[in-house]
């Protein structure tokens, strides 16, 4: 099992700002976050920075609520280190997968999808030049098979209704689905997206 690297305070703050997509944290939010990250109590933070303890607690609670909404899990002062460390590790792994894909893509393989799918991790396939080649050739059925394979890997399940909806998508929508498929947290998100394409 790979040991997760602990984030520095500045790395953790940068990750929070990335997740919240609201620009930089305010000064007081940075204070509360950074001190909480180090294990300080709200009371000690308030004393150290000359704020009312109730105000410091409110700032912290609001920050954890915002992160909880974005991450769809309960974030607290006590678990923020663990949660952000896991997210950072996942992002690092995804970047490494993309780099691996780019290196392999430089090799002059023939367009044998079966061979490539054995070489690449499934969560890297979406970056492959071979998939792009299939799209450019307009081989819609191959695109559909590829996407269904990715969905099966992502969610370990797929029902007939979803397959039928995917088969009805035009090529440009299939290409879009390929780009965003790993942004869906749960299968229901994909189902909602497919429904929206009918409107």
């Amino acid at each position: 099992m790979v040991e997760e690297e602990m984030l520095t305070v500045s790395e953790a703050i940068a990750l929070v700002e990335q997740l919240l997509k609201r620009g930089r944290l305010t000064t007081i939010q940075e204070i509360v976050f950074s001190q909480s990250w180090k294990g300080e109590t709200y009371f000690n933070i308030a004393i150290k920075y000359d704020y009312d303890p109730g105000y410091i607690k409110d700032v912290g609670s609001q920050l954890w609520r915002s992160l909880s909404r974005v991450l769809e899990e309960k974030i607290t002062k006590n678990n923020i280190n663990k949660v952000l460390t896991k997210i950072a590790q996942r992002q690092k792994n995804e970047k490494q997968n993309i780099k691996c894909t780019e290196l392999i893509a430089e090799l002059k393989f023939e367009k044998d999808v079966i061979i490539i799918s054995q070489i690449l991790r499934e969560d890297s396939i979406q970056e492959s030049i071979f998939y792009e080649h299939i799209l450019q050739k307009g081989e819609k059925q191959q695109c559909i098979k590829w996407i269904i394979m990715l969905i099966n890997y992502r969610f370990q399940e797929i029902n007939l209704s979803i397959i039928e909806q995917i088969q009805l998508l035009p090529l440009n929508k299939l290409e879009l689905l390929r780009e965003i498929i790993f942004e869906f947290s749960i299968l229901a998100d994909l189902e909602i997206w497919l429904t929206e394409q009918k409107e």
Side-chain angles (χ1 to χ4, degrees):
M1 184 176 178
V2 179
E3 186 177 346
E4 295 173 340
E5 297 179 11
M6 180 60 69
L7 297 174
T8 64
V9 174
S10 58
E11 288 172 336
I13 289 174
L15 181 53
V16 168
E17 291 173 342
Q18 174 196 335
L19 292 169
L20 294 180
K21 299 178 181 178
R22 293 192 311 221
R24 293 187 59 82
L25 297 179
T26 65
T27 301
I28 188 60
Q29 284 176 327
E30 279 200 26
I31 289 172
V32 172
F33 180 86
S34 61
Q35 294 301 306
S36 296
W37 186 261
K38 295 174 182 177
E40 288 287 354
T41 65
Y42 290 137
F43 182 79
N44 286 342
I45 297 170
I47 296 300
K48 184 176 181 179
Y49 290 92
D50 195 24
Y51 282 99
D52 179 76
Y55 175 62
I56 292 296
K57 183 176 181 180
D58 288 343
V59 171
S61 296
Q62 184 179 14
L63 190 55
W64 312 141
R65 280 196 301 271
S66 297
L67 284 168
S68 295
R69 282 194 295 271
V70 170
L71 299 175
E72 298 182 340
E73 65 176 295
K74 186 172 178 59
I75 303 300
T76 68
K77 186 175 182 296
N78 298 321
N79 72 357
I80 186 65
N81 295 56
K82 183 177 179 181
V83 172
L84 290 187
T85 298
K86 283 186 176 181
I87 292 172
Q89 186 62 48
R90 186 170 67 238
Q91 290 182 346
K92 181 180 178 182
N93 291 342
E94 287 171 355
K95 287 178 183 177
Q96 288 174 343
N97 290 338
I98 291 172
K99 286 180 182 178
C100 178
T101 304
E102 290 171 348
L103 288 173
I104 294 175
E106 290 175 5
L107 301 174
K108 304 302 181 184
F109 285 110
E110 293 297 321
K111 59 168 187 175
D112 190 334
V113 176
I114 297 174
I115 292 176
I116 297 307
S117 65
Q118 291 170 347
I119 294 172
L120 297 175
R121 282 185 52 176
E122 285 87 344
D123 55 354
S124 299
I125 289 175
Q126 60 174 331
E127 301 297 333
S128 171
I129 61 170
F130 304 97
Y131 185 82
E132 289 296 326
H133 180 74
I134 290 172
L135 284 178
Q136 291 166 6
K137 294 285 286 184
E139 298 175 4
K140 183 177 177 180
Q141 290 306 313
Q142 289 297 322
C143 296
I144 291 170
K145 289 178 183 178
W146 197 291
I147 288 170
I148 290 172
M149 179 186 71
L150 292 177
I151 294 171
N152 270 321
Y153 174 80
R154 181 78 173 85
F155 302 109
Q156 286 81 50
E157 61 174 317
I158 185 169
N159 58 49
L160 184 59
S161 171
I162 290 177
I163 293 175
E164 290 174 346
Q165 291 179 73
I166 291 171
Q167 289 174 333
L168 293 174
L169 291 173
L171 192 57
N172 65 324
K173 293 291 186 180
L174 289 171
E175 184 174 12
L176 175 60
L177 179 56
R178 189 269 305 192
E179 295 293 337
I180 65 174
I181 198 166
F182 288 95
E183 295 179 12
F184 299 130
S185 302
I186 56 176
L187 192 60
D189 293 337
L190 171 61
E191 292 175 317
I192 291 171
W193 185 86
L194 289 169
T195 301
E196 290 173 348
Q197 306 317 302
K198 299 175 183 177
E199 297 174 357

